[in-house]
Amino acid sequence: MNELCVWSLLLLLLAGSFSNGVGNNVNLSRPAVVNIGAVFTFDSTIGKASYYAIKQAVDDVNSNSSVLHGTKLHVEMRNSNCSGFHGIIGAVQFMEVNTVAVIGPQSSEVANAMTIVANELQVPLLSFGATDPTLASLQFPFFVRTTQSDLYQMTAVADIVEHYNWKQVIAIFIDDDYGRNGVAAMNDALAARRCKISYKAGIPPGPGISRGDIMDILVKLAVMDSRVIVLHVYPALGFTVFSVAQHLGMMDGGYVWIATDWLSSVLDSVQLSPEKMDSMQGVLVLRQHTPDSDRKRTFISRWNNLTDGSVGPNSYALHAYDSVWLVAHAIDSFLNQGHIISFSTNSKLRSGGGNLHLEAMSIFDGGKHLLRNILQSDLMGLTGRIKFNTDRSLFHPAYDVINIIGTGFRQIGYWSNYSGLSTLPPETFYSNLANFSIATQQLHSVVWPGNTVVKPRGWVFPNYGKLLRIGVPNRVGYREFVSKSLRTNTFKGFCIDVFTAAVNLLPYAVPYEFISYGDGKENPSYTGLINEVANGFFDGAVGDIAIARNRTKIVDFTQPFAASGLVVVAPFKKLNTGAWAFLRPFSPPLWGVIAAFFLVVGLVVWTLEHRINDEFRGTPKTQLITVIWFSLSTLFYSHRESTVSSLGRLVLILWLFVVLIINSSYTASLTSILTVQQMYSPIHGIETLKKIEEPIGYQVGSFAYHYLVEEIGIPESLLKPLGTPEIYSSQLELGPKNGGVAAVVDERPYVDLFLSSHCEFRVIGQEFTKSGWGFAFPRDSPLAVDLSTAILTLSENGDLQRIYDKWLSRSTCSSENAEIDSDRLHLQSFWGLFLVCGMTCFVALLIYFLQIMRKFCNSNPADPESESQRDSHSNRIQKLLSIIDEKEDPMKRRSKRRKTEGPEDEYASSELRNNDEPEMQRLDHTF
């Protein structure tokens, strides 16, 4: 009996040692209990709800016979107190009781600390609350995020900002891993949409922050131009920020507040006091989207029995519930695959004395297999489908967009990475192709702070009490565009009226003052004015400012309010018709090509017709006259010689078509020359200015100088600055030989105004640049965007044209204001016709000579015995020339034709031969 007790005691000790997992232990059967841990903050809003969710999930797993098949799941919960140190202690304690997985933590900072222990001991760490986007799987292979990453939440924030056409936001965040990394993800998402974070206000974590510190931060934000604020903090700190903001008037109209899902988790969990709700009116809030399902509704209906109404089920609690089921299914698959739950001690962990028993920690031997099963899971939970992408993020991340109104909130839409912003649940789009079109992005109406439904513009002018400093060029010439009054020190002109009219269309007041730029003695440098805007000396620039490529790199321009482009102005002289006016329709090269083709076509037709057509035979003199006469007579379609060969007819038909086109063009051009007064200038456009080495004028301060030097390549020594229209006229009249200029290069609006009173000059050629005039503002200025919309409105309602007529409408000289261009027709207008005609002649000659060569090869010598004579090179050439020159016998041609004719045509052929016999006798007698 004593021996039996001893053996029983030994068996119990061995069983205990195996259950404690010291050494490599093997249990070939399913274990009765599997231990998992849970680390989170018990007294937080998310932690309170997660406690009940995890506890209920373990009970549901153990009561479900289809999971684990008799093995019970045991969870040990530990409080991390939002401390990374406490989280590590909890993880180490779990390793002493052979835990196969840990659920939690809810804090990103704690998760960063715990992942180190999880990686070393190969225990999967499933976090239902750590949203830090930098917790990457490559760095932390045993970290599994069972909730949505802030990478997607910040993308949703960026899409909302873009949807409402805001360009800048202010970020208020908690200055720890959760806050910093979340804001960094938002900055990247905004940059991809051409938006940015204008200011980052970090709040130190911990209890040391006071209400006064928050007020100091918000006071700085109140004087900034951006009015879109994103709040990414913890709940207690967030409510303090809203309270201080309300006290400072920052919850009134014009402001936009976007809170991340920290606020929605509180709204779903507890009933907030009326004071807190009143301080958050109009705030937009994101909440992790969980699809509606029967399983979710059933669980929520059981929730009050679990918690006695002390806390509500937020989205993080639902993810915590699903995390337990995810671990349970992964453990079940792990056991079904034949793996065993065993632990090994780490030889590197040795107690160095004291009370730290590091050797008690053990490594989970099957950690990698269990991790693989977790990542390969695909099941339905309370939060929807639980499946992981290749980057270990959950499939189809989505968020609800809610608006706080009164004592509650209203859902205004959804966001998902599959369909963007929409008013329909994201799961309705999963069966269709992904669509991120801006046109499909929509949300329901929003009640904004200040109890208004009008969308805030998202920015205001900074520096309250100060006017915007708008630089205006103090011009000397062309004062119709912009000028300064010496008596009243005010500005007027076309550009000033356009700016004033556009500002009056804005839905808000713009306090500004005009500041003169320039000494008033000569036109100022517009490039210098733009640089002053870029440097911040001016808040904007208004005037006749050309939108040039180098300027757009440092400032933003509005929509162009006037078309512009560089043109060439030069003197001209009127051309009289004269005795030789009939030669002017065609240029000399074209006349030469036409004459050459007349001779070429005549020679080609003579070559093709010479052997078979009697009209192209005779003495050399007769044939030469025939060729010349035939060529020239085709110009008037009066040629008497008929063509017999098919190739000759083809060439002649095509040539007559070319002659038709030439005649029609010549007649039209000559009519224009004789009936319309012609103007002439030795300069034909910008191409001429590149070649001549004569002075060229440009307006002082214009971008034309840089364009001519840098783009065209004209030497600086040839450019002469000019200031006023009077100087333009005098310099052009003097000309380059008398100290003046050959031409002036300036923008089209100035030139039109100049030519309205100086009819002795003309625009030569076409505009060689295309640009416009706009108002300049610093980069990313929202005022540039709003003024662009106002300028388009002025253009559409006709006010812009009326302002133009007021200042710039002038009586023109006459219809002669048309640009000078050559009325001559040039070769390039007809080269296609000549090319086709030439190719036809070449092909016809090629076919003809191939026929001659075949006849030459088939011919037999008259004397078969004279072999040496036959082989003589000169004789062969003579033979070839004789074949070319000989008259082809019509009898031979008809005999060849009879061979191809049928019996029914024999009678007709004989009749034709009889009729031709007298004529043939006449021809033989002639030759």
Side-chain angles (χ1 to χ4, degrees):
M1 186 68 178
N2 292 333
E3 293 179 358
L4 181 60
C5 292
V6 171
W7 282 108
S8 299
L9 181 60
L10 290 174
L11 289 174
L12 288 175
L13 291 174
L14 289 173
S17 64
F18 274 101
S19 63
N20 287 337
V22 179
N24 292 325
N25 304 302
V26 179
N27 189 352
L28 299 179
S29 62
R30 277 178 171 264
V33 177
V34 176
N35 295 322
I36 64 172
V39 179
F40 52 91
T41 304
F42 289 173
D43 59 350
S44 66
T45 302
I46 296 176
K48 291 177 181 178
S50 299
Y51 174 84
Y52 292 107
I54 293 175
K55 184 177 179 180
Q56 184 60 42
V58 173
D59 293 340
D60 291 345
V61 168
N62 290 333
S63 62
N64 193 324
S65 59
S66 63
V67 183
L68 294 180
H69 304 284
T71 299
K72 297 298 182 180
L73 195 65
H74 176 263
V75 60
E76 183 73 21
M77 301 187 190
R78 298 189 184 278
N79 190 358
S80 66
N81 293 317
C82 284
S83 170
F85 176 76
H86 287 90
I88 292 178
I89 297 300
V92 170
Q93 291 174 343
F94 286 140
M95 296 306 102
E96 295 181 354
V97 293
N98 299 340
T99 302
V100 299
V102 177
I103 297 176
Q106 70 190 65
S107 169
S108 298
E109 184 179 10
V110 179
N112 273 288
M114 290 185 61
T115 50
I116 300 175
V117 179
N119 289 343
E120 290 295 330
L121 303 179
Q122 299 186 8
V123 175
L125 179 65
L126 290 79
S127 176
F128 60 86
T131 58
D132 180 2
T134 63
L135 289 169
S137 58
L138 293 177
Q139 184 179 3
F140 308 111
F142 281 86
F143 175 80
V144 180
R145 196 195 314 270
T146 58
T147 187
Q148 303 296 349
S149 169
D150 277 341
L151 178 66
Y152 301 107
Q153 181 172 208
M154 295 310 174
T155 303
V157 171
D159 279 347
I160 293 174
V161 171
E162 183 186 34
H163 176 70
Y164 290 111
N165 296 320
W166 299 318
K167 295 300 180 182
Q168 298 182 12
V169 303
I170 295 175
I172 302 177
F173 62 98
I174 188 72
D175 196 7
D176 60 5
D177 292 340
Y178 162 74
R180 285 192 303 270
N181 297 329
V183 170
M186 179 174 64
N187 189 46
D188 293 340
L190 289 171
R193 291 154 180 80
R194 299 182 63 83
C195 305
K196 70 175 184 178
I197 299 177
S198 60
Y199 185 77
K200 299 178 183 178
I203 302 177
I209 192 73
S210 64
R211 184 181 178 89
D213 297 331
I214 301 297
M215 183 170 294
D216 292 339
I217 294 174
L218 294 184
V219 167
K220 293 180 181 179
L221 304 184
V223 298
M224 296 181 180
D225 55 345
S226 178
R227 286 294 183 265
V228 181
I229 303 174
V230 178
L231 190 58
H232 187 54
V233 293
Y234 297 130
L237 187 58
F239 293 130
T240 303
V241 171
F242 282 132
S243 177
V244 175
Q246 184 185 31
H247 175 73
L248 295 176
M250 298 177 67
M251 299 301 298
D252 297 336
Y255 280 90
V256 177
W257 286 84
I258 302 175
T260 52
D261 59 0
W262 65 267
L263 181 54
S264 60
S265 64
V266 178
L267 294 174
D268 290 337
S269 301
V270 297
Q271 183 68 35
L272 296 178
S273 64
E275 292 78 11
K276 287 186 177 180
M277 294 299 298
D278 186 59
S279 67
M280 300 185 298
Q281 293 299 301
V283 176
L284 294 182
V285 188
L286 291 176
R287 176 177 61 188
Q288 295 191 33
H289 175 70
T290 54
D292 192 20
S293 63
D294 295 337
R295 186 176 182 182
K296 178 182 174 182
R297 287 191 293 269
T298 301
F299 177 78
I300 292 177
S301 64
R302 296 162 49 199
W303 184 262
N304 289 333
N305 296 329
L306 300 175
T307 62
D308 297 328
S310 59
V311 65
N314 54 56
S315 59
Y316 286 100
L318 300 181
H319 282 293
Y321 180 91
D322 286 346
S323 298
V324 176
W325 276 92
L326 179 62
V327 171
H329 280 282
I331 293 174
D332 187 50
S333 299
F334 177 84
L335 298 175
N336 290 336
Q337 293 166 359
H339 300 295
I340 59 175
I341 297 177
S342 61
F343 297 86
S344 302
T345 57
N346 190 342
S347 59
K348 298 180 181 179
L349 296 176
R350 289 287 183 266
S351 177
N355 296 324
L356 292 177
H357 300 286
L358 299 178
E359 67 276 2
M361 291 190 298
S362 54
I363 299 174
F364 180 28
D365 297 331
K368 294 182 179 179
H369 298 289
L370 181 61
L371 176 66
R372 183 172 61 250
N373 289 341
I374 291 173
L375 297 176
Q376 293 177 351
S377 299
D378 188 359
L379 59 132
M380 294 300 297
L382 298 180
T383 58
R385 186 180 182 185
I386 304 175
K387 185 180 180 181
F388 295 94
N389 292 313
T390 55
D391 61 351
R392 297 191 179 184
S393 62
L394 291 175
F395 258 43
H396 299 315
Y399 287 85
D400 302 333
V401 185
I402 61 179
N403 182 207
I404 296 180
I405 305 174
T407 58
F409 56 84
R410 182 175 68 96
Q411 185 162 330
I412 62 171
Y414 306 87
W415 177 91
S416 73
N417 71 332
Y418 195 81
S419 57
L421 297 171
S422 67
T423 55
L424 298 176
E427 50 271 14
T428 60
F429 297 96
Y430 294 156
S431 59
N432 303 323
L433 295 177
N435 185 4
F436 293 94
S437 172
I438 297 178
T440 62
Q441 307 296 294
Q442 55 182 337
L443 293 172
H444 291 301
S445 60
V446 179
V447 178
W448 303 99
N451 196 27
T452 177
V453 295
V454 179
K455 185 204 77 171
R457 70 175 184 267
W459 65 277
V460 295
F461 296 105
N463 302 326
Y464 291 147
K466 295 183 179 180
L467 302 177
L468 291 179
R469 293 171 52 85
I470 304 298
V472 180
N474 189 4
R475 293 192 56 88
V476 176
Y478 296 109
R479 296 174 62 84
E480 293 86 352
F481 295 102
V482 57
S483 62
K484 181 181 179 181
S485 175
L486 298 179
R487 294 182 178 180
T488 60
N489 200 28
T490 58
F491 289 87
K492 61 181 181 179
F494 169 70
C495 301
I496 300 299
D497 281 5
V498 172
F499 178 77
T500 304
V503 168
N504 291 336
L505 290 178
L506 298 179
Y508 50 87
V510 179
Y512 65 89
E513 61 177 340
F514 290 133
I515 307 296
S516 176
Y517 181 77
D519 56 9
K521 298 179 180 179
E522 64 178 12
N523 295 335
S525 170
Y526 281 53
T527 301
L529 176 60
I530 295 300
N531 290 332
E532 294 292 351
V533 175
N535 296 334
F537 182 79
F538 290 129
D539 298 313
V542 171
D544 46 340
I545 306 172
I547 304 175
R549 176 171 54 87
N550 59 332
R551 296 174 180 175
T552 58
K553 296 179 180 179
I554 57 176
V555 296
D556 283 347
F557 284 92
T558 62
Q559 173 78 16
F561 61 88
S564 180
L566 293 179
V567 293
V568 178
V569 179
F572 73 99
K573 61 180 180 179
K574 298 179 180 179
L575 291 177
N576 297 322
T577 53
W580 302 98
F582 67 91
L583 295 176
R584 287 176 52 198
F586 292 159
S587 64
L590 182 57
W591 278 119
V593 172
I594 292 175
F597 261 83
F598 270 106
L599 295 178
V600 169
V601 171
L603 289 173
V604 170
V605 173
W606 175 84
T607 302
L608 298 175
E609 297 289 326
H610 177 68
R611 298 183 68 249
I612 59 177
N613 193 338
D614 292 335
E615 294 181 353
F616 289 88
R617 299 186 65 85
T619 63
K621 179 179 178 181
T622 302
Q623 296 183 53
L624 178 60
I625 295 175
T626 300
V627 169
I628 296 175
W629 169 254
F630 177 83
S631 300
L632 296 178
S633 62
T634 56
L635 180 62
F636 309 101
Y637 310 103
S638 59
H639 49 284
R640 295 176 299 174
E641 296 80 6
S642 60
T643 55
V644 177
S645 66
S646 299
L647 293 177
R649 291 174 177 175
L650 175 63
V651 172
L652 182 60
I653 290 175
L654 185 59
W655 173 242
L656 291 177
F657 175 75
V658 174
V659 170
L660 174 64
I661 300 299
I662 292 175
N663 282 337
S664 301
S665 302
Y666 177 84
T667 303
S669 180
L670 183 61
T671 302
S672 175
I673 291 173
L674 296 178
T675 57
V676 179
Q677 192 173 30
Q678 301 297 308
M679 296 174 290
Y680 168 77
S681 173
I683 298 175
H684 302 296
I686 189 62
E687 297 297 329
T688 307
L689 295 181
K690 294 180 182 180
K691 300 176 182 178
I692 66 174
E693 295 184 357
E694 295 179 347
I696 302 170
Y698 70 94
Q699 185 179 175
V700 176
S702 173
F703 81 101
Y705 173 82
H706 297 282
Y707 186 87
L708 293 174
V709 173
E710 298 174 3
E711 302 295 336
I712 304 299
I714 296 177
E716 298 182 21
S717 59
L718 296 179
L719 298 179
K720 189 172 184 179
L722 307 176
T724 63
E726 291 73 19
I727 298 178
Y728 278 24
S729 178
S730 62
Q731 290 291 311
L732 287 172
E733 288 177 354
L734 288 175
K737 296 181 179 180
N738 299 318
V741 295
V744 172
V745 175
D746 205 352
E747 297 178 61
R748 190 61 187 252
Y750 303 120
V751 170
D752 289 341
L753 190 61
F754 171 73
L755 294 180
S756 65
S757 57
H758 296 80
C759 300
E760 64 272 24
F761 308 107
R762 289 292 182 272
V763 173
I764 308 299
Q766 304 291 329
E767 292 184 10
F768 53 92
T769 65
K770 294 293 183 180
S771 62
W773 288 352
F775 305 131
F777 293 93
R779 295 300 299 269
D780 300 324
S781 172
L783 187 58
V785 178
D786 292 347
L787 278 178
S788 295
T789 304
I791 291 172
L792 289 175
T793 304
L794 290 176
S795 177
E796 292 171 357
N797 61 23
D799 288 343
L800 188 61
Q801 183 62 41
R802 283 187 283 272
I803 297 173
Y804 180 89
D805 295 338
K806 171 186 174 182
W807 289 98
L808 305 178
S809 179
R810 296 289 186 272
S811 59
T812 58
C813 297
S814 66
S815 59
E816 297 173 1
N817 278 337
E819 297 168 348
I820 296 178
D821 199 0
S822 176
D823 293 312
R824 284 185 168 182
L825 297 174
H826 299 277
L827 179 61
Q828 57 264 30
S829 302
F830 300 95
W831 72 268
L833 279 175
F834 290 123
L835 177 64
V836 173
C837 184
M839 292 296 296
T840 304
C841 293
F842 174 77
V843 172
L845 288 176
L846 181 62
I847 296 175
Y848 172 78
F849 281 112
L850 289 177
Q851 294 174 349
I852 293 298
M853 293 303 298
R854 186 181 63 178
K855 186 176 183 63
F856 172 73
C857 294
N858 295 333
S859 63
N860 294 321
D863 187 4
E865 297 180 355
S866 58
E867 295 294 338
S868 60
Q869 181 180 0
R870 188 194 327 168
D871 296 334
S872 173
H873 181 70
S874 59
N875 291 338
R876 292 175 64 86
I877 294 177
Q878 292 178 0
K879 179 63 176 178
L880 177 62
L881 294 177
S882 64
I883 293 176
I884 294 175
D885 186 63
E886 71 177 353
K887 178 73 168 61
E888 183 176 350
D889 188 0
M891 298 300 296
K892 294 181 179 180
R893 292 174 57 206
R894 289 186 175 88
S895 64
K896 293 179 181 179
R897 188 184 306 168
R898 277 201 308 270
K899 293 180 180 180
T900 59
E901 292 175 348
E904 62 276 8
D905 297 329
E906 183 177 355
Y907 176 76
S909 300
S910 61
E911 289 294 328
L912 180 62
R913 182 172 60 253
N914 293 333
N915 294 334
D916 287 344
E917 285 180 356
E919 181 66 20
M920 293 299 299
Q921 292 176 359
R922 183 182 65 81
L923 292 175
D924 292 341
H925 177 74
T926 302
F927 284 94

